[in-house]
Amino acid sequence: MDTYAILQHYWWFLISLLGGLLVFLLFVQGGQTFIFSDGKTALQRRMIVNSTGRKWEFTFTTLVTFGGAFFASFPLFYSTSFGGAYWVWMLILLCFVIQAVSFEFQNKLGNVFGPKTYQTALLLNGILGPLLIGTAVATFYTGANFYMDKGAIAGFGEAANTVSSWMPYNGVQLHGLEAVLNPWNLVFGLAVLFLARTTALLYFINNIVEPELNERFRKKLLPNALIFLVLFVAFVVFVLLKDGFAVNPDTKEVFMEPNKYLNNFLKMPYLLVSFLVGVVLVLFGILKTVSDKRYTKGIWFHGVGVVITVTTCLLILGWGDTSYYPSLYDLQSSLTIENSSSTEYTLRVMAYVSILIPFVLAYIFYAWGKLDRHKFDKEEMSKGNHY
């Protein structure tokens, strides 16, 4: 493998890791779905809001970093998906803008709408954010409706200066919204939503010290976890048994290969081990918390497991001669880490910059520890500086 290929694989790993971190941090959105169902009083609702409110910047920053890293390392995907399926991405962005506004203004002086209006907006963000992100990511497995004309880069081709075009779906231009018409995309979107809710419950159990709320969280943990597991297992079985979008390493031709993603696991057994380790950690965090009423550390095992599992699921899309963003309109327009990446020089320079990532992560852990030094209880809520 030459240096350029190594850099392409390295940057796909970083993109996958950011994706894993983002899915874990979606517990902020998942927690917002419990504001009214579990917050029976104004104080309890504020506890829920402030518990996740301390972390919403981490989720938003990771989302922006994920998009920025994708743009820098694989710009052809960015221009194709963000430029073509823009309705989906605009809705996701709108959800996060609503979240930021709601956190900041719900208890500001002069708020004429009242806290419940902004809390309702947080609830909508909590549902739509993970659902839309999951549905969009599922198209990495099921395909998207675009056409690539690379001759346009040099001013040639059918539409000069237009490299990628989003194609109509049954004669109607939906710009990405057609993803919701594939039931498997929705299955994965719902799996992400209930994973976010499950992670949020584990986080609340660790972060909020309020017996009444804690009892409600524990009662809801197992049902939400079971719904997530059913949806996730169904999607995993579907992906492992379906024909996948393979790439001929010699001709670079994209073709359909039976059980492609299962074959990727078998050809790269270290990814299979990683996937199984992640799943075991996810299950351990849930089951240990369910079985032991005094146990509150499940979020950490579960969280690490989520990051490992999601990272692995994304790695099998880009590694192993696979198209990570397949085209349903024209198979040869499908994107791979080879045909959609930046130049070797760009990837090399960014690789040097990526050395700073461990220091950034160390700062995040430090800031997280500072924010969680004081758990949420009635005494803590009586102090100022809360949403």
Side-chain angles (χ1 to χ4, degrees), residues 43 46-47 50 54 375-386:
L43 177 61
R46 288 199 68 192
M47 280 185 173
N50 280 275
R54 284 179 171 179
K375 304 296 183 180
F376 276 100
D377 54 20
K378 292 180 180 179
E379 181 181 354
E380 175 66 20
M381 290 304 300
S382 66
K383 301 176 182 178
N385 299 321
H386 293 306

Side-chain angles (χ1 to χ4, degrees), residues 11-329:
W11 274 100
W12 185 253
F13 167 75
L14 291 184
I15 294 295
S16 300
L17 179 59
L18 285 170
L21 290 170
L22 175 60
V23 172
F24 163 64
L25 290 170
L26 285 177
F27 76 81
V28 174
Q29 276 62 37
Q32 292 165 190
T33 64
F34 295 103
I35 292 175
F36 295 109
S37 62
D38 286 68
K40 302 302 183 182
T41 66
L43 177 61
Q44 290 177 348
R45 286 192 291 272
R46 288 199 68 192
M47 280 185 173
I48 293 173
V49 168
N50 280 275
S51 179
T52 56
R54 284 179 171 179
K55 305 298 189 304
W56 77 266
E57 292 97 337
F58 291 146
T59 309
F60 188 79
T61 302
T62 304
L63 176 65
V64 173
T65 305
F66 176 78
F70 233 138
F71 170 73
S73 54
F74 301 99
L76 205 51
F77 165 77
Y78 197 88
S79 64
T80 300
S81 182
F82 287 72
Y86 56 77
W87 280 121
V88 175
W89 296 110
M90 287 298 290
L91 286 172
I92 292 173
L93 180 60
L94 177 62
C95 284
F96 280 86
V97 170
I98 290 174
Q99 179 194 42
V101 172
S102 298
F103 271 122
E104 293 300 327
F105 287 96
Q106 60 183 296
N107 286 303
K108 291 287 186 181
L109 293 175
N111 172 16
V112 297
F113 299 107
K116 279 193 175 182
T117 301
Y118 289 107
Q119 290 171 358
T120 301
L122 289 176
L123 171 63
L124 292 176
N125 167 258
I127 296 172
L128 293 178
L131 181 62
L132 289 171
I133 289 176
T135 302
V137 171
T139 60
F140 286 20
Y141 296 93
T142 60
N145 205 39
F146 64 90
Y147 170 70
M148 190 69 57
D149 184 13
K150 293 186 179 179
I153 296 177
F156 304 106
E158 297 177 5
N161 301 320
T162 303
V163 179
S164 57
S165 301
W166 207 263
M167 308 309 294
Y169 180 84
N170 291 336
V172 181
Q173 184 57 272
L174 298 176
H175 287 294
L177 293 179
E178 68 273 8
V180 301
L181 300 178
N182 185 323
W184 285 110
N185 291 343
L186 288 177
V187 166
F188 190 72
L190 288 170
V192 173
L193 171 59
F194 278 94
L195 172 61
R197 284 170 59 87
T198 301
T199 309
L201 289 169
L202 289 168
Y203 176 74
F204 286 151
I205 290 171
N206 177 260
N207 191 246
I208 298 178
V209 184
E210 171 61 28
E212 187 177 342
L213 276 176
N214 195 277
E215 183 178 355
R216 292 185 197 137
F217 295 147
R218 289 184 179 276
K219 284 182 179 179
K220 290 191 173 181
L221 177 58
L222 186 58
N224 278 274
L226 287 175
I227 294 173
F228 155 66
L229 289 172
V230 169
L231 293 168
F232 179 69
V233 170
F235 188 79
V236 168
V237 171
F238 161 72
V239 166
L240 294 180
L241 298 182
K242 75 184 290 290
D243 292 348
F245 300 86
V247 181
N248 187 310
D250 299 318
T251 66
K252 307 306 177 184
E253 178 187 11
V254 180
F255 64 97
M256 301 305 296
E257 178 183 320
N259 310 123
K260 170 59 178 172
Y261 304 106
L262 175 60
N263 293 337
N264 278 1
F265 272 132
L266 297 178
K267 292 178 181 177
M268 297 178 283
Y270 51 90
L271 291 184
L272 178 59
V273 172
S274 173
F275 178 78
L276 294 176
V277 168
V279 170
V280 169
L281 288 173
V282 168
L283 293 175
F284 177 81
I286 295 170
L287 295 176
K288 178 65 174 176
T289 306
V290 170
S291 61
D292 187 348
K293 300 301 181 183
R294 296 172 298 177
Y295 189 71
T296 62
K297 306 294 185 180
I299 179 62
W300 303 119
F301 291 98
H302 175 86
V304 172
V306 168
V307 174
I308 293 174
T309 303
V310 175
T311 300
T312 306
C313 288
L314 292 175
L315 286 176
I316 67 166
L317 287 170
W319 290 0
D321 298 315
T322 311
S323 169
Y324 71 84
Y325 200 50
S327 170
L328 298 175
Y329 181 82

